[in-house]
Amino acid sequence: MAVSANRLELLQIADAVAREKSIDKEIVIAAMADAIQKAARSRYGQDTNIRADIDPGTGEMKLQRLLEVVETVEEPATEIDLEAARLRQPDAQIGDHVAELLPPMEFGRIAAQSAKQVIVQKVREAERDRQYEEYKDRIGEIVNGTVKRVEYGNVIVDLGRGEGIIRRDELIPRELYKYGDRVRAFVYDVRREQRGPQIFLSRTHPQFMVNLFSMEVPEIYDGIIEIRSVARDPGSRAKIAVISNDSSIDPVGACVGMRGSRVQAVVGELQGEKIDIIPWSPDPASFIVNALQPAEVAKVVLDEDAERIEVVVPDEQLSLAIGRRGQNVRLASQLTGWDIDILTEDEESARRQKEFVERSELFMNSLNVDEMVGQVLASEGFSSIEEVAYVELAEIASIEGFDEDTASEIQSRAREYLEQLEAEHDARRKELGVADELREIPNMTTAMMVAVGEDGVKTVEDFAGYAVDDLVGWKERKDGETVFFKGVLNDFGITRPQAEEMVVVARLKVGWISEDDLVSEGDSAAEEVAGDAAGQDLEE
């Protein structure tokens, strides 16, 4: 009866631990079996191969020693010869293991303590695995919890079946939490670490706002309205761009709600963060104009290659368009993904006048024409000598006051000037020691060869060492502002794809990469793009 009671007690303990830690009962029983095996090895010898089995139904425990079947026994504690093995197990073969039943053993204090440590460790590992598996699938969700403690500004949150952390930089500014406070946050990362799974929470993540709107606006939850992009200055101001898949539903009105009830619920959760809800548009110009609300825009000029846009506003709208400490234009830029330059109408007019004068002087000096001809060419939209030299003759002849002879003479002078300039660049290129072989790189001109030569690049191998950013420039965020660093070929209108092609061709020529490398990289890139398209979700 005593044995039965012990068996029952063993199962009850396993059941209680499994329920408390929210793990499988079989894991707890397996941990107990491991603990018994470890304790038995301390008695029979560490080299002994011992297996403990606990029946999850009855609690019956069976302790066995496994002996390897060998031809000649060298270690009696772990080996058995074939003849003796077949007396116990008729079909035994060399390399098999034969089980030998061991008598029940009494645990000493040290063995019991060791067994307890094994069980605790195994249960803890199972609990950590359960937490990780549960929360890794909840990345992108909002969770609720209570504040457990605050450490150096970081808030530790009890999630019930786990513990999350909101780091100081993921908290909305001026937010203060104390023990026991209820908190709602966004799960943005879950990592398996040495000390257990780390669940990282955020209240400043743009997706947190998206999920809050999904909870407040049924049309977003149902997919009728989409939030295309979000930009936040946490605790201060935010902009979200929305679009409706149903022409009968106004996306902005649906997000605002009756008397602002829906948006106010989100604002309340975000500590009063002001939210501008903007209709998304596939047309960049319209979208950017909407994003700069409440400022009124007079004109926009897009540079699609550089993803840059100039926005002209009336003088009295400048401060509104820029916003306090540049907040409005910064959020509009984040929302649209475009760099936005804001000019007043007077500034734009002055700049256009300056460009007109510079172009007029360029034509006057390069083509040796009078001021009137230079101004006419500039006013007709010509911006470079190359355009004048290689445009259709009829286009110049069609200008009022010009005829074919005049147009032909202007084109002739333009080509002579370009030939002279080419000769000067080539002389400078030779002076710098830049190799002729650089001409074989696509898009390369003599003027570019001079520019890279002045940068210390003389050969194709030297050029192959360039990164694309070295050629076309790069951007960095400094003190909240985007700073642009010029590249070697910035002044030549080279686009990033063209620069990539130039670097790749140079590296192919010097043998740093092969055509096969490009094919395999292209395939993996295509697969990645396809995967992104299939599982694309809102990211901002």
Side-chain angles (χ1 to χ4, degrees):
M1 289 297 293
V3 174
S4 298
N6 286 337
R7 292 174 184 171
L8 182 61
E9 188 177 294
L10 192 72
L11 292 178
Q12 287 175 340
I13 291 169
D15 197 40
V17 171
R19 279 202 308 270
E20 182 185 346
K21 302 295 184 181
S22 300
I23 58 177
D24 196 332
K25 180 181 172 182
E26 290 182 4
I27 293 174
V28 181
I29 292 175
M32 289 177 169
D34 284 346
I36 292 166
Q37 285 174 191
K38 184 175 181 182
R41 282 197 194 98
S42 66
R43 175 172 173 177
Y44 291 103
Q46 292 299 328
D47 294 334
T48 309
N49 188 358
I50 291 178
R51 185 174 71 197
D53 293 313
I54 299 174
D55 189 317
T58 63
E60 183 180 353
M61 183 175 67
K62 186 163 62 174
L63 201 59
Q64 297 173 310
R65 175 166 57 186
L66 299 181
L67 301 172
E68 186 179 358
V69 180
V70 295
E71 288 184 3
T72 306
V73 176
E74 294 179 0
E75 293 289 340
T78 59
E79 295 174 345
I80 187 172
D81 62 46
L82 184 59
E83 186 179 346
R86 283 185 170 168
L87 291 175
R88 301 181 186 185
Q89 189 175 313
D91 58 348
Q93 301 292 332
I94 298 294
D96 290 349
H97 286 84
V98 174
E100 180 184 71
L101 197 62
L102 294 175
M105 59 176 285
E106 293 291 329
F107 289 92
R109 183 178 62 81
I110 294 175
Q113 188 65 29
S114 176
K116 177 185 174 185
Q117 288 173 353
V118 171
I119 293 170
V120 168
Q121 179 64 24
K122 293 281 185 182
V123 168
R124 185 180 292 127
E125 287 174 5
E127 187 180 12
R128 287 173 175 175
D129 287 343
R130 189 267 307 157
Q131 282 185 12
Y132 177 77
E133 290 300 321
E134 178 180 345
Y135 281 95
K136 78 178 175 62
D137 296 328
R138 298 186 67 182
I139 293 176
E141 293 182 12
I142 288 179
V143 293
N144 295 296
T146 55
V147 176
K148 201 171 183 179
R149 60 187 183 278
V150 179
E151 297 175 348
Y152 307 107
N154 301 322
V155 177
I156 312 302
V157 182
D158 183 0
L159 301 174
R161 290 161 64 93
E163 188 176 275
I165 179 171
I166 310 178
R167 294 189 300 197
R168 185 166 46 191
D169 57 341
E170 297 292 341
L171 285 167
I172 294 172
R174 298 179 300 280
E175 245 184 350
L176 293 174
Y177 286 102
K178 59 183 184 299
Y179 173 77
D181 285 352
R182 296 286 299 169
V183 61
R184 183 188 284 182
F186 174 76
V187 182
Y188 72 91
D189 196 11
V190 179
R191 299 177 201 158
R192 196 194 291 272
E193 295 187 3
Q194 191 75 26
R195 54 186 173 173
Q198 296 296 297
I199 303 165
F200 293 98
L201 309 176
S202 174
R203 286 178 56 77
T204 61
H205 199 286
Q207 193 73 30
F208 182 47
M209 176 179 286
V210 172
N211 286 21
L212 288 174
F213 268 105
S214 296
M215 294 164 68
E216 295 296 334
V217 183
E219 291 87 347
I220 295 176
Y221 182 83
D222 293 336
I224 299 170
I225 293 173
E226 291 180 44
I227 298 179
R228 285 294 179 90
S229 60
V230 180
R232 286 185 68 190
D233 193 347
S236 176
R237 191 170 180 185
K239 291 178 183 281
I240 68 168
V242 294
I243 185 172
S244 175
N245 295 321
D246 185 339
S247 58
S248 65
I249 294 177
D250 171 25
V252 175
C255 292
V256 171
M258 186 73 69
R259 298 181 182 174
S261 58
R262 291 175 173 177
V263 73
Q264 282 307 314
V266 178
V267 168
E269 178 63 41
L270 299 177
Q271 307 296 317
E273 191 171 315
K274 294 181 178 65
I275 302 173
D276 297 336
I277 303 171
I278 292 153
W280 184 85
S281 170
D283 174 40
S286 301
F287 185 26
I288 290 164
V289 168
N290 291 337
L292 284 169
Q293 293 176 0
E296 295 176 6
V297 175
K299 185 170 72 172
V300 295
V301 180
L302 281 89
D303 180 352
E304 293 194 7
D305 289 336
E307 288 200 341
R308 196 172 193 87
I309 187 166
E310 284 183 356
V311 176
V312 181
V313 298
D315 289 1
E316 67 274 8
Q317 292 283 315
L318 179 64
S319 58
L320 194 61
I322 294 173
R324 187 175 57 183
R325 295 192 291 275
Q327 186 184 63
N328 192 53
V329 69
R330 185 174 67 252
L331 289 175
S333 180
Q334 290 174 14
L335 189 75
T336 59
W338 287 65
D339 289 331
I340 301 174
D341 293 331
I342 295 187
L343 304 172
T344 64
E345 290 176 328
D346 288 346
E347 288 172 339
E348 197 250 352
S349 175
R351 197 200 62 187
R352 287 174 64 85
Q353 183 62 32
K354 181 184 175 184
E355 288 177 354
F356 177 77
V357 170
E358 288 173 351
R359 286 203 303 271
S360 299
E361 289 178 353
L362 171 68
F363 295 135
M364 289 162 58
N365 297 331
S366 304
L367 305 178
N368 194 22
V369 295
D370 59 26
E371 184 178 7
M372 187 194 75
V373 174
Q375 288 178 350
V376 168
L377 289 171
S379 64
E380 287 294 322
F382 291 102
S383 59
S384 68
I385 302 299
E386 286 83 354
E387 282 185 46
V388 176
Y390 300 113
V391 77
E392 291 289 336
L393 184 66
E395 192 168 330
I396 301 175
S398 66
I399 297 173
E400 189 176 348
F402 286 12
D403 55 24
E404 270 198 32
D405 291 340
T406 306
S408 181
E409 177 63 22
I410 288 173
Q411 273 204 333
S412 176
R413 292 186 186 185
R415 288 170 182 170
E416 284 175 11
Y417 172 79
L418 291 175
E419 287 170 6
Q420 180 188 343
L421 200 61
E422 177 71 11
E424 290 173 3
H425 284 147
D426 198 45
R428 175 62 178 156
R429 188 263 309 172
K430 290 175 181 174
E431 182 185 332
L432 290 167
V434 179
D436 284 339
E437 60 180 354
L438 274 173
R439 293 188 190 279
E440 298 172 13
I441 295 174
N443 306 310
M444 182 68 75
T445 64
T446 309
M448 291 181 195
M449 293 168 73
V450 171
V452 299
E454 290 174 344
D455 195 42
V457 169
K458 307 295 174 65
T459 65
V460 172
E461 187 168 3
D462 292 342
F463 191 89
Y466 271 132
V468 175
D469 283 351
D470 296 330
L471 300 179
V472 296
W474 69 95
K475 298 173 190 171
E476 288 182 11
R477 295 286 292 177
K478 286 193 174 181
D479 302 324
E481 297 294 327
T482 301
V483 180
F484 181 74
F485 294 87
K486 287 188 70 174
V488 179
L489 302 183
N490 251 126
D491 296 332
F492 297 95
I494 290 291
T495 64
R496 182 166 286 273
Q498 288 174 327
E500 287 173 357
E501 182 188 6
M502 294 171 81
V503 172
V504 167
V505 169
R507 292 177 182 177
L508 281 169
K509 285 183 177 296
V510 297
W512 291 6
I513 58 175
S514 67
E515 293 287 354
D516 291 340
D517 295 331
L518 294 179
V519 171
S520 60
E521 282 180 18
D523 289 344
S524 61
E527 287 172 10
E528 188 175 332
V529 169
D532 288 346
Q536 188 172 17
D537 200 351
L538 179 69
E539 270 185 27
E540 194 52 65

